[in-house]
Amino acid sequence: MFLSINGQRHTVPDGWQDDTLLMVLREALGLVGPKLGCGQGQCGACTVLVDGQPQRSCLLPVSAVLQRPITTLEGLAGPDGRLHPVQQAWLDEAVPQCGYCQAGQIMATVALLDATPQPTRQQVEAALAPQLCRCGTQPRIRRAVQRAVQLRQQAAR
C-alpha cells in the first residue's frame, strides 16, 4: 500500500495502515504541516488537499486515500523552493499570530483559488468559514487571500 503525497510515493509502514492520514503524515512520515487540533474534524488545523479538495486528515483513514494525490503544506512550494503565492501572501500580510491554524487556512485558500481564481468576498468567507482561528487573524487572512489573487495573476503573465 502506498500514499501519493506531494508528488511522491510513500509506502505506508506496517502498523500504520489502520490509522488516520494525519497520524501517518506526522508520525510515520514526518510531515508536520497539518496539525492535530480538535481531532474531530471541526477546527481545520489538519486540512490537506485530496484530489485537490480540502479534507480533514484527522478523520480520514489511510485506506480511504490510498493512491490518491494528497498535498500538504510542505508540497506547495515549487521545486526551486519558491513559495506558493498563497504562502507568500501569508508572509507579506504577516498573517500568523499563534500560527496553529495557518496550514489549514492556507490549504483551504489554495483549494479555493484553484477552483475560483478571482473569488468574491462571499466565496472567500464561505470557503474559510470552516477553518477555526481563535487568535483573531481573520482580517489579515482575508487580505492575504486578496494578495494571493494578485500574486497568482502576476505569475500568470
Side-chain angles (χ1 to χ4, degrees), residues 26-142:
R26 291 184 60 82
E27 303 299 329
L29 301 177
L31 297 169
V32 296
K35 307 287 188 253
L36 175 59
C38 66
Q40 299 173 8
Q42 295 180 10
C43 74
C46 67
T47 301
V48 298
L49 302 182
V50 178
D51 296 319
Q53 298 301 309
Q55 300 288 323
R56 304 294 208 247
S57 64
C58 72
L59 297 178
L60 281 174
V62 168
S63 61
V65 294
L66 292 172
Q67 303 177 21
R68 294 171 63 193
I70 300 163
T71 305
T72 68
L73 184 68
E74 294 89 347
L76 292 180
D80 61 354
R82 175 176 275 175
L83 294 178
H84 186 282
V86 175
Q87 292 172 305
Q88 187 60 56
W90 246 246
L91 293 176
D92 292 348
E93 293 295 330
V95 172
Q97 189 165 323
C98 84
Y100 208 79
C101 71
Q102 296 309 304
Q105 300 273 4
I106 288 170
M107 300 309 290
T109 300
V110 168
L112 169 65
L113 297 183
D114 285 349
T116 309
Q118 294 188 10
T120 65
R121 188 179 201 294
Q122 293 80 12
Q123 290 169 315
V124 172
E125 294 301 324
L128 297 182
Q131 304 298 125
L132 182 62
C133 174
R134 296 213 184 265
C135 295
T137 64
Q138 289 90 342
R140 290 189 300 228
I141 290 169
R142 301 320 185 255

Side-chain angles (χ1 to χ4, degrees), residues 85 93 113 117 143-157:
E93 293 295 330
L113 297 183
R143 285 194 307 269
V145 172
Q146 293 310 311
R147 183 180 291 262
V149 167
Q150 294 167 353
L151 291 173
R152 287 171 51 112
Q153 289 172 344
Q154 291 170 2
R157 292 183 200 153

Side-chain angles (χ1 to χ4, degrees), residues 20-34:
T20 65
L21 177 59
L22 178 63
M23 287 299 110
V24 171
L25 290 172
R26 291 184 60 82
E27 303 299 329
L29 301 177
L31 297 169
V32 296

